[in-house]
Amino acid sequence: MRTDTNRSLSPLVLTLLTGAFALVCLFAFQGWLAHSADIFLAFAETGVSWCF
């Protein structure tokens, strides 16, 4: 039986997906650094700050 094993993502697509994921993570981290106190206070007001 012959199996086609050449069905992986091309290196360009893989690079683009990795770059997009890294950019999303960077923006999320920057948002956390800029607004962490506000986020924590909002959680404290609603009673879910114990999970941090």
Side-chain angles (χ1 to χ4, degrees):
M1 177 188 323
R2 295 184 75 135
T3 304
D4 187 17
T5 58
N6 197 12
R7 291 184 175 247
S8 63
L9 292 174
S10 71
L12 178 63
V13 172
L14 188 60
T15 303
L16 289 175
L17 289 175
T18 303
F21 180 71
L23 195 61
V24 167
C25 289
L26 179 70
F27 283 137
F29 185 66
Q30 180 199 15
W32 176 256
L33 288 178
H35 303 288
S36 61
D38 296 333
I39 293 170
F40 182 76
L41 288 176
F43 281 157
E45 289 173 353
T46 59
V48 292
S49 63
W50 57 267
C51 55
F52 287 103

